[in-house]
Amino acid sequence: MTDPKIYGVVGWKNSGKTGLMERLVAEFTARGLTVSTLKHTHHQVDLEVPGTDTHRHRTAGAQEVVLASTSRIAQLHELRGEPEPGIATLISRLHPCDLVLIEGFKSAPHPKVEASRAETGQPLFANNDATVRAVAANHTPKNGAVPVIDLDDTKAIADFIALDVGLMPDVPETPKANGLKNDCFALPPGVHWTPVEEALATLRDRLAPVTDVETVPTDAANGRILARDHMAVRSNPPGANSAVDGYAFAHATLPSGTPISVPLVDGRAAAGGPFHGTVPAGHAIRILTGALIPDGVDTVVMQEDVQIADGILTIPAAPKPGSNARAAGEDVAAGALALAHGHKLRAPDIALLSALGVAEVEAHTRLRVGVLSTGDELAAPGSTLDVARTYDANRPMLLSLAETWGYEPVNLGHVADDRAALAVAFDDGATRADVILTSGGASAGDEDHVSALLRDSGSLHHWRIAIKPGRPLALAQWNGTPVFGLPGNPVAALVTTLIFARPAFSVLAGGEWLEPLGLQLPAGFSKKKKAGRREYLRARIGADGRVQAFKSEGSGRISGLAWATGLVEMSDEAQEICEGDPVRFLPYTSFGLV
Ligand code: AMP
Ligand code: MG
């Protein structure tokens, strides 16, 4: 994320500036921006009230006090005579956001809007402060220098700020409020064969999330994409504890000389069963893994390294101070970033969030992926013996892929090569899905009705991508819903889905742009290719560690897709591969295929 935009709200007391701040935060948040605020104060605020726990910690000398609950975290940092930090330093403490609204800090140089009410009877700052760019007033002040906007017209004030600061110059025009521009799939004019990298860069550039946000219990959030940064609600570990089963003592109170013997106190410290007393100097206590370190001790020896006789612990020599004791928060401190927005939750992430007390997450709703097959020749698998019919392989494949990727598969069925029927299917898809994946009819031939219909609807961008297999990709929007028109051939459909649709869908779903992690491995085959198109071969790693290519490059050979465990990627340029040469192997798993 780039640096946040910064805008201030100033005004005399009772000028309505806090009310304006409040309305602006709500307005910008509703526009899909993340907003943070900074407030300058000269007086005591509620967090500083004497007698509260935090006040007591603070006045006792704590450098920082973090006040945390399941819904928010406050951090009090004591300056203790150090100069007040400037705005840049304060903003650097915030998590990334789009806009920082600042209340107060009148003399700082950032641009500001001044709130003004006639009732205060005060002159305008705007009269002699060039950083004030507009006045939001409930009256018509005598001022010719800057625009005056109605104090109650939050939208107009927000528009002014957005324009002044360069936020969101383009308002999306699509009927569905999905953040995509109408022409998001447009390629530069005059381009005939688009290289794969350029097609990917265009997608990466133009796409934005189209999903909603909902609260999900963490234990049901596997595969979900975080819509916000999530902070540790409490530290891990929450208290200092023992890393081993053994005996604990205060290192500094051990007698000198070796071996070392100290008496054991009665009782023990166990996980979930802390020792409540204080261990006296020169004494040791039985402690088990995960137990809180009792008062009076700081070091643990493993039980394998000690001898016990008659209530006396003997160790051959003193360990290092603090051995086998884990400090509170040594892994993650409360308030620290646990996982950032855009992160897709996997089992280890669920463990982390759970350990840090994040019981629910703000996640994107699952991307609804609509899958539609087109073609007169298609029939449901097993439904006919007619050899003129082709069993529909793409729809079950693409629905399975959507499911594997953690999205919600939406079966939009099969339609014949009939434009009116296709239009009905697209209408249906645009309401039931966030993105539509079609296969077949995406070229420019007579029977390529998907292309023809999308062209007629005005939103088609036909991408002739320099890729084999694959080539035509029809990208469009139907009533604002993005449509990916894939080639009908199942081999080409799978390759183009893995290469183009996978990263694109991740962004549409609120996640990161994805790139497969390739391995350089020796080729177990030889091949010569011409310049001009990037090629993907169905491939797998043989027992000798070399990459085998499928025996036929024929694009009708669906068996090769199932035989393969990945793809070999051959560069756009001419290339001659001899056995043993390194090739780039992209395992299916690197495309999230399991
Ligand atoms: P098209 O892109 O419509 O010209 O189709 C190219 C080839 O892919 C033709 O041989 C089609 O029969 C085949 N095909 C199209 N859709 C599917 C599908 N859903 N399942 C299997 N084969 C298909
Ligand atoms: Mg067809």
Side-chain angles (χ1 to χ4, degrees):
M1 193 175 297
T2 50
D3 285 339
K5 308 289 187 187
I6 298 167
Y7 221 89
V9 173
V10 293
W12 293 96
K13 198 168 161 45
N14 297 327
S15 62
K17 63 177 184 296
T18 305
L20 178 57
M21 280 287 290
E22 193 174 27
R23 297 194 307 278
L24 285 174
V25 171
E27 175 70 25
F28 282 118
T29 305
R31 294 182 185 195
L33 299 175
T34 39
V35 181
S36 295
T37 69
L38 210 63
K39 153 90 190 165
H40 195 254
T41 179
H42 294 293
H43 40 82
Q44 299 263 308
V45 295
D46 49 359
L47 282 168
E48 302 176 54
V49 173
T52 55
D53 295 354
T54 49
H55 185 267
R56 290 166 65 183
H57 300 184
R58 238 165 27 77
T59 48
Q63 167 63 43
E64 290 191 318
V65 177
V66 173
L67 176 61
S69 74
T70 49
S71 37
R72 67 193 59 81
I73 295 160
Q75 183 179 28
L76 296 160
H77 180 102
E78 294 306 304
L79 291 176
R80 299 200 203 289
E82 271 174 47
E84 184 179 344
I87 285 192
T89 312
L90 294 173
I91 287 178
S92 72
R93 300 176 74 105
L94 295 171
H95 285 91
C97 63
D98 300 304
L99 175 67
V100 178
L101 286 173
I102 301 177
E103 180 174 347
F105 287 96
K106 207 159 44 48
S107 38
H110 59 274
K112 307 172 186 83
V113 57
E114 175 174 5
S116 169
R117 275 185 196 284
E119 297 87 306
T120 65
Q122 296 281 7
L124 291 179
F125 299 137
N127 290 336
N128 43 30
D129 181 347
T131 66
V132 176
R133 313 287 283 259
V135 175
N138 70 345
H139 59 112
T140 317
K142 286 191 192 57
N143 171 284
V146 295
V148 175
I149 311 170
D150 181 351
L151 180 57
D152 287 324
D153 194 347
T154 311
K155 204 182 150 309
I157 303 168
D159 286 343
F160 177 89
I161 292 174
L163 203 65
D164 196 23
V165 89
L167 267 175
M168 302 186 302
D170 309 300
V171 178
E173 294 153 18
T174 50
K176 192 168 168 182
N178 64 9
L180 300 183
K181 287 192 220 162
N182 269 343
D183 62 347
C184 71
F185 295 128
L187 287 173
V191 173
H192 290 304
W193 288 95
T194 308
V196 172
E197 283 314 319
E198 204 177 306
L200 288 171
T202 305
L203 284 175
R204 181 176 189 158
D205 232 43
R206 309 284 175 79
L207 294 175
V210 296
T211 44
D212 290 330
V213 174
E214 62 184 348
T215 304
V216 185
T218 300
D219 59 7
N222 190 29
R224 290 302 194 98
I225 295 169
L226 293 180
R228 303 262 176 278
D229 289 351
H230 283 69
M231 311 299 158
V233 174
R234 79 163 175 177
S235 297
N236 181 51
N241 66 62
S242 176
V244 296
D245 289 342
Y247 296 85
F249 42 75
H251 190 275
T253 71
L254 291 178
S256 52
T258 53
I260 298 168
S261 291
V262 289
L264 282 171
V265 297
D266 285 340
R268 62 168 204 168
F275 179 78
H276 291 293
T278 300
V279 179
H283 284 65
I285 183 170
R286 174 72 169 140
I287 193 164
L288 300 174
T289 307
L292 287 179
I293 303 284
D295 286 347
V297 302
D298 57 20
T299 302
V300 183
V301 281
M302 286 170 74
Q303 62 191 22
E304 289 80 354
D305 297 340
V306 310
Q307 284 184 326
I308 306 282
D310 300 329
I312 303 289
L313 167 87
T314 301
I315 49 176
K320 278 205 273 180
S323 296
N324 299 315
R326 304 171 177 139
E330 70 174 23
D331 180 28
V332 183
L337 178 67
L339 292 170
H341 70 276
H343 185 78
K344 186 169 177 175
L345 297 179
R346 307 151 306 162
D349 305 315
I350 303 286
L352 176 66
L353 294 172
S354 302
L356 299 179
V358 181
E360 38 184 47
V361 292
E362 295 273 286
H364 286 276
T365 51
R366 284 187 201 278
L367 185 76
R368 296 168 305 163
V369 179
V371 179
L372 180 70
S373 288
T374 72
D376 286 342
E377 75 282 24
L378 297 185
S383 65
T384 172
L385 297 178
D386 181 354
V387 291
R389 308 297 294 275
T390 300
Y391 290 155
D392 184 353
N394 289 344
R395 191 153 42 108
M397 170 176 78
L398 298 170
L399 288 167
S400 305
L401 260 181
E403 189 185 13
T404 299
W405 287 337
Y407 306 135
E408 191 184 316
V410 180
N411 191 342
L412 299 176
H414 157 236
V415 285
D417 289 319
D418 172 291
R419 234 175 268 191
L422 257 181
V424 171
F426 276 131
D427 281 345
D428 175 44
T431 59
R432 291 166 60 203
D434 300 310
V435 59
I436 300 173
L437 207 48
T438 70
S439 66
S443 297
D446 296 349
E447 292 300 322
D448 290 316
H449 297 281
V450 172
S451 293
L453 178 66
L454 293 172
R455 187 179 306 109
D456 287 354
S457 80
S459 74
L460 176 74
H461 295 286
H462 213 249
W463 287 20
R464 300 210 316 156
I465 299 172
I467 183 175
K468 181 184 170 187
R471 247 203 286 221
L473 200 57
L475 294 167
Q477 293 189 58
W478 189 270
N479 294 342
T481 298
V483 178
F484 283 66
L486 306 173
N489 180 295
V491 175
L494 181 67
V495 169
T496 45
T497 305
L498 296 184
I499 303 297
F500 298 106
R502 176 172 176 264
F505 286 11
S506 176
V507 173
L508 292 172
E512 291 154 6
W513 179 259
L514 301 174
E515 278 166 17
L517 191 65
L519 308 172
Q520 289 293 127
L521 291 175
F525 64 96
S526 56
K527 178 176 160 67
K528 204 170 169 175
K529 82 174 267 298
K530 288 192 284 217
R533 288 210 272 167
R534 182 174 296 186
E535 286 192 34
Y536 291 93
L537 311 177
R538 284 145 281 175
R540 71 181 190 192
I541 304 174
D544 58 357
R546 294 180 165 216
V547 179
Q548 309 295 333
F550 188 56
K551 61 184 184 225
S552 161
E553 286 183 26
S555 65
R557 300 289 195 105
I558 302 176
S559 66
L561 291 179
W563 171 89
T565 58
L567 303 173
V568 161
E569 183 179 79
M570 296 184 68
S571 64
D572 304 12
E573 300 83 47
Q575 208 182 344
E576 179 163 6
I577 294 173
C578 301
E579 289 210 21
D581 288 352
V583 289
R584 183 166 150 83
F585 180 70
L586 305 171
Y588 276 164
T589 50
S590 75
F591 294 108
L593 262 185
V594 285

